[in-house]
mmCIF file of all heavy atoms in Angstrom:
data_model
loop_
_atom_site.group_PDB
_atom_site.id
_atom_site.type_symbol
_atom_site.label_atom_id
_atom_site.label_comp_id
_atom_site.label_asym_id
_atom_site.label_seq_id
_atom_site.Cartn_x
_atom_site.Cartn_y
_atom_site.Cartn_z
ATOM 1 N N GLY S 51 -7.884 13.207 5.678
ATOM 2 C CA GLY S 51 -7.414 11.821 5.683
ATOM 3 C C GLY S 51 -8.364 10.900 4.951
ATOM 4 O O GLY S 51 -7.945 10.044 4.172
ATOM 5 N N GLN S 52 -9.667 11.093 5.184
ATOM 6 C CA GLN S 52 -10.646 10.244 4.507
ATOM 7 C C GLN S 52 -10.668 10.515 3.007
ATOM 8 O O GLN S 52 -10.846 9.600 2.213
ATOM 9 C CB GLN S 52 -12.033 10.467 5.086
ATOM 10 C CG GLN S 52 -12.349 9.518 6.196
ATOM 11 C CD GLN S 52 -12.608 10.235 7.495
ATOM 12 O OE1 GLN S 52 -12.085 11.321 7.705
ATOM 13 N NE2 GLN S 52 -13.410 9.652 8.353
ATOM 14 N N LEU S 54 -8.111 11.366 1.250
ATOM 15 C CA LEU S 54 -6.923 10.749 0.661
ATOM 16 C C LEU S 54 -7.126 9.257 0.437
ATOM 17 O O LEU S 54 -6.567 8.687 -0.501
ATOM 18 C CB LEU S 54 -5.713 10.986 1.567
ATOM 19 C CG LEU S 54 -5.133 12.386 1.511
ATOM 20 C CD1 LEU S 54 -4.009 12.528 2.506
ATOM 21 C CD2 LEU S 54 -4.638 12.722 0.130
ATOM 22 N N ILE S 55 -7.930 8.606 1.295
ATOM 23 C CA ILE S 55 -8.201 7.179 1.093
ATOM 24 C C ILE S 55 -8.901 6.971 -0.241
ATOM 25 O O ILE S 55 -8.568 6.076 -1.018
ATOM 26 C CB ILE S 55 -9.071 6.636 2.231
ATOM 27 C CG1 ILE S 55 -8.304 6.696 3.540
ATOM 28 C CG2 ILE S 55 -9.468 5.203 1.973
ATOM 29 C CD1 ILE S 55 -9.181 6.460 4.730
ATOM 30 N N ALA S 58 -6.589 7.222 -3.056
ATOM 31 C CA ALA S 58 -5.791 6.005 -3.252
ATOM 32 C C ALA S 58 -6.606 4.935 -3.967
ATOM 33 O O ALA S 58 -6.077 4.199 -4.795
ATOM 34 C CB ALA S 58 -5.315 5.478 -1.907
ATOM 35 N N ILE S 59 -7.910 4.853 -3.633
ATOM 36 C CA ILE S 59 -8.735 3.835 -4.284
ATOM 37 C C ILE S 59 -8.874 4.139 -5.774
ATOM 38 O O ILE S 59 -8.781 3.253 -6.622
ATOM 39 C CB ILE S 59 -10.117 3.766 -3.604
ATOM 40 C CG1 ILE S 59 -9.957 3.216 -2.189
ATOM 41 C CG2 ILE S 59 -11.068 2.893 -4.383
ATOM 42 C CD1 ILE S 59 -11.183 3.351 -1.346
ATOM 43 N N GLU S 61 -6.818 5.969 -7.601
ATOM 44 C CA GLU S 61 -5.512 5.937 -8.231
ATOM 45 C C GLU S 61 -5.134 4.543 -8.722
ATOM 46 O O GLU S 61 -4.415 4.399 -9.708
ATOM 47 C CB GLU S 61 -4.512 6.411 -7.177
ATOM 48 C CG GLU S 61 -3.171 6.821 -7.640
ATOM 49 C CD GLU S 61 -2.295 7.080 -6.428
ATOM 50 O OE1 GLU S 61 -2.372 6.325 -5.446
ATOM 51 O OE2 GLU S 61 -1.552 8.033 -6.461
ATOM 52 N N LEU S 62 -5.639 3.516 -8.026
ATOM 53 C CA LEU S 62 -5.272 2.135 -8.351
ATOM 54 C C LEU S 62 -5.537 1.819 -9.814
ATOM 55 O O LEU S 62 -4.751 1.144 -10.460
ATOM 56 C CB LEU S 62 -6.055 1.171 -7.453
ATOM 57 C CG LEU S 62 -5.875 -0.314 -7.745
ATOM 58 C CD1 LEU S 62 -4.463 -0.741 -7.409
ATOM 59 C CD2 LEU S 62 -6.848 -1.133 -6.951
ATOM 60 N N LEU S 65 -2.884 3.188 -12.035
ATOM 61 C CA LEU S 65 -1.650 2.428 -11.888
ATOM 62 C C LEU S 65 -1.756 1.080 -12.590
ATOM 63 O O LEU S 65 -0.778 0.588 -13.157
ATOM 64 C CB LEU S 65 -1.335 2.222 -10.411
ATOM 65 C CG LEU S 65 -1.082 3.489 -9.608
ATOM 66 C CD1 LEU S 65 -0.792 3.138 -8.171
ATOM 67 C CD2 LEU S 65 0.072 4.262 -10.179
ATOM 68 N N LEU S 66 -2.957 0.472 -12.576
ATOM 69 C CA LEU S 66 -3.139 -0.803 -13.285
ATOM 70 C C LEU S 66 -2.892 -0.616 -14.772
ATOM 71 O O LEU S 66 -2.246 -1.450 -15.416
ATOM 72 C CB LEU S 66 -4.555 -1.334 -13.059
ATOM 73 C CG LEU S 66 -4.832 -1.964 -11.702
ATOM 74 C CD1 LEU S 66 -6.290 -2.349 -11.604
ATOM 75 C CD2 LEU S 66 -3.975 -3.185 -11.514
ATOM 76 N N PHE S 68 -0.994 1.658 -16.092
ATOM 77 C CA PHE S 68 0.442 1.895 -16.268
ATOM 78 C C PHE S 68 1.222 0.582 -16.215
ATOM 79 O O PHE S 68 2.153 0.374 -16.980
ATOM 80 C CB PHE S 68 0.948 2.859 -15.187
ATOM 81 C CG PHE S 68 2.347 3.325 -15.391
ATOM 82 C CD1 PHE S 68 2.601 4.422 -16.185
ATOM 83 C CD2 PHE S 68 3.411 2.667 -14.818
ATOM 84 C CE1 PHE S 68 3.893 4.857 -16.390
ATOM 85 C CE2 PHE S 68 4.705 3.097 -15.026
ATOM 86 C CZ PHE S 68 4.933 4.198 -15.810
ATOM 87 N N ALA S 69 0.806 -0.312 -15.305
ATOM 88 C CA ALA S 69 1.517 -1.581 -15.189
ATOM 89 C C ALA S 69 1.276 -2.451 -16.413
ATOM 90 O O ALA S 69 2.140 -3.228 -16.800
ATOM 91 C CB ALA S 69 1.080 -2.315 -13.925
ATOM 92 N N PHE S 72 3.671 -2.750 -19.653
ATOM 93 C CA PHE S 72 4.897 -3.512 -19.679
ATOM 94 C C PHE S 72 4.683 -4.943 -20.178
ATOM 95 O O PHE S 72 5.638 -5.640 -20.466
ATOM 96 C CB PHE S 72 5.539 -3.550 -18.286
ATOM 97 C CG PHE S 72 6.043 -2.221 -17.858
ATOM 98 C CD1 PHE S 72 5.361 -1.475 -16.918
ATOM 99 C CD2 PHE S 72 7.189 -1.695 -18.422
ATOM 100 C CE1 PHE S 72 5.813 -0.233 -16.536
ATOM 101 C CE2 PHE S 72 7.647 -0.453 -18.043
ATOM 102 C CZ PHE S 72 6.962 0.277 -17.111
ATOM 103 N N VAL Z 13 14.687 -0.513 -15.965
ATOM 104 C CA VAL Z 13 13.443 -0.713 -15.230
ATOM 105 C C VAL Z 13 13.300 -2.193 -14.924
ATOM 106 O O VAL Z 13 13.429 -3.027 -15.820
ATOM 107 C CB VAL Z 13 12.236 -0.221 -16.076
ATOM 108 C CG1 VAL Z 13 10.946 -0.752 -15.516
ATOM 109 C CG2 VAL Z 13 12.226 1.281 -16.130
ATOM 110 N N ILE Z 15 10.639 -4.929 -13.230
ATOM 111 C CA ILE Z 15 9.290 -5.121 -12.694
ATOM 112 C C ILE Z 15 9.278 -6.261 -11.683
ATOM 113 O O ILE Z 15 8.574 -6.216 -10.690
ATOM 114 C CB ILE Z 15 8.299 -5.420 -13.844
ATOM 115 C CG1 ILE Z 15 8.271 -4.252 -14.814
ATOM 116 C CG2 ILE Z 15 6.907 -5.677 -13.306
ATOM 117 C CD1 ILE Z 15 7.732 -2.980 -14.235
ATOM 118 N N LEU Z 193 -2.088 -5.274 -4.881
ATOM 119 C CA LEU Z 193 -1.718 -4.581 -6.121
ATOM 120 C C LEU Z 193 -1.498 -3.096 -5.874
ATOM 121 O O LEU Z 193 -0.616 -2.492 -6.484
ATOM 122 C CB LEU Z 193 -2.811 -4.775 -7.174
ATOM 123 C CG LEU Z 193 -2.720 -6.071 -7.967
ATOM 124 C CD1 LEU Z 193 -3.900 -6.188 -8.891
ATOM 125 C CD2 LEU Z 193 -1.450 -6.089 -8.774
ATOM 126 N N ARG Z 194 -2.291 -2.486 -4.997
ATOM 127 C CA ARG Z 194 -2.155 -1.045 -4.758
ATOM 128 C C ARG Z 194 -0.779 -0.717 -4.195
ATOM 129 O O ARG Z 194 -0.074 0.159 -4.697
ATOM 130 C CB ARG Z 194 -3.240 -0.580 -3.800
ATOM 131 C CG ARG Z 194 -3.232 0.910 -3.568
ATOM 132 C CD ARG Z 194 -4.351 1.347 -2.670
ATOM 133 N NE ARG Z 194 -5.650 1.059 -3.261
ATOM 134 C CZ ARG Z 194 -6.557 0.267 -2.736
ATOM 135 N NH1 ARG Z 194 -6.316 -0.334 -1.595
ATOM 136 N NH2 ARG Z 194 -7.702 0.066 -3.323
ATOM 137 N N LEU Z 197 2.091 -1.650 -6.867
ATOM 138 C CA LEU Z 197 2.176 -0.759 -8.021
ATOM 139 C C LEU Z 197 2.664 0.618 -7.609
ATOM 140 O O LEU Z 197 3.459 1.241 -8.317
ATOM 141 C CB LEU Z 197 0.819 -0.658 -8.710
ATOM 142 C CG LEU Z 197 0.408 -1.899 -9.479
ATOM 143 C CD1 LEU Z 197 -0.983 -1.743 -10.021
ATOM 144 C CD2 LEU Z 197 1.368 -2.137 -10.609
ATOM 145 N N ASN Z 198 2.222 1.122 -6.454
ATOM 146 C CA ASN Z 198 2.675 2.444 -6.041
ATOM 147 C C ASN Z 198 4.174 2.471 -5.806
ATOM 148 O O ASN Z 198 4.856 3.398 -6.236
ATOM 149 C CB ASN Z 198 1.940 2.880 -4.772
ATOM 150 C CG ASN Z 198 0.691 3.657 -5.099
ATOM 151 O OD1 ASN Z 198 0.763 4.735 -5.636
ATOM 152 N ND2 ASN Z 198 -0.450 3.081 -4.805
ATOM 153 N N ILE Z 201 6.074 1.805 -9.288
ATOM 154 C CA ILE Z 201 5.983 2.917 -10.216
ATOM 155 C C ILE Z 201 6.721 4.125 -9.677
ATOM 156 O O ILE Z 201 7.313 4.895 -10.447
ATOM 157 C CB ILE Z 201 4.506 3.185 -10.545
ATOM 158 C CG1 ILE Z 201 4.030 2.064 -11.473
ATOM 159 C CG2 ILE Z 201 4.301 4.519 -11.227
ATOM 160 C CD1 ILE Z 201 2.576 1.992 -11.662
ATOM 161 N N ILE Z 204 10.140 3.486 -10.800
ATOM 162 C CA ILE Z 204 10.294 3.708 -12.238
ATOM 163 C C ILE Z 204 10.346 5.202 -12.531
ATOM 164 O O ILE Z 204 11.156 5.660 -13.351
ATOM 165 C CB ILE Z 204 9.143 3.025 -13.006
ATOM 166 C CG1 ILE Z 204 9.284 1.508 -12.907
ATOM 167 C CG2 ILE Z 204 9.138 3.432 -14.462
ATOM 168 C CD1 ILE Z 204 8.110 0.762 -13.452
ATOM 169 N N LEU Z 234 1.912 7.556 2.886
ATOM 170 C CA LEU Z 234 0.464 7.525 2.622
ATOM 171 C C LEU Z 234 0.009 6.106 2.299
ATOM 172 O O LEU Z 234 -1.042 5.659 2.761
ATOM 173 C CB LEU Z 234 0.156 8.475 1.462
ATOM 174 C CG LEU Z 234 -1.305 8.631 1.107
ATOM 175 C CD1 LEU Z 234 -2.021 9.328 2.226
ATOM 176 C CD2 LEU Z 234 -1.467 9.412 -0.174
ATOM 177 N N GLN Z 235 0.832 5.363 1.514
ATOM 178 C CA GLN Z 235 0.431 4.006 1.148
ATOM 179 C C GLN Z 235 0.419 3.086 2.364
ATOM 180 O O GLN Z 235 -0.457 2.235 2.490
ATOM 181 C CB GLN Z 235 1.359 3.453 0.072
ATOM 182 C CG GLN Z 235 1.184 4.099 -1.272
ATOM 183 C CD GLN Z 235 -0.239 4.069 -1.743
ATOM 184 O OE1 GLN Z 235 -0.925 3.077 -1.589
ATOM 185 N NE2 GLN Z 235 -0.707 5.172 -2.295
ATOM 186 N N ILE Z 238 -2.730 3.878 4.133
ATOM 187 C CA ILE Z 238 -3.929 3.411 3.447
ATOM 188 C C ILE Z 238 -4.085 1.901 3.593
ATOM 189 O O ILE Z 238 -5.184 1.403 3.823
ATOM 190 C CB ILE Z 238 -3.888 3.865 1.977
ATOM 191 C CG1 ILE Z 238 -4.279 5.329 1.915
ATOM 192 C CG2 ILE Z 238 -4.799 3.052 1.112
ATOM 193 C CD1 ILE Z 238 -3.942 5.989 0.651
ATOM 194 N N VAL Z 241 -5.389 1.463 7.132
ATOM 195 C CA VAL Z 241 -6.730 1.963 7.400
ATOM 196 C C VAL Z 241 -7.769 1.125 6.671
ATOM 197 O O VAL Z 241 -8.848 0.852 7.216
ATOM 198 C CB VAL Z 241 -6.822 3.463 7.049
ATOM 199 C CG1 VAL Z 241 -7.082 3.707 5.610
ATOM 200 C CG2 VAL Z 241 -7.901 4.137 7.851
ATOM 201 N N LEU Z 242 -7.449 0.632 5.477
ATOM 202 C CA LEU Z 242 -8.422 -0.198 4.757
ATOM 203 C C LEU Z 242 -8.632 -1.524 5.459
ATOM 204 O O LEU Z 242 -9.757 -1.993 5.598
ATOM 205 C CB LEU Z 242 -7.965 -0.419 3.315
ATOM 206 C CG LEU Z 242 -8.193 0.755 2.371
ATOM 207 C CD1 LEU Z 242 -7.645 0.434 1.005
ATOM 208 C CD2 LEU Z 242 -9.655 1.078 2.261
#
Side-chain angles (χ1 to χ4, degrees):
Chain S
Q52 268 119 332
L54 284 176
I55 295 168
I59 292 169
E61 196 187 40
L62 175 68
L65 297 180
L66 284 176
F68 189 86
F72 292 105
Chain Z
V13 164
I15 299 295
L193 276 176
R194 184 177 298 119
L197 288 175
N198 269 294
I201 286 167
I204 291 172
L234 183 67
Q235 289 307 319
I238 282 164
V241 84
L242 282 177

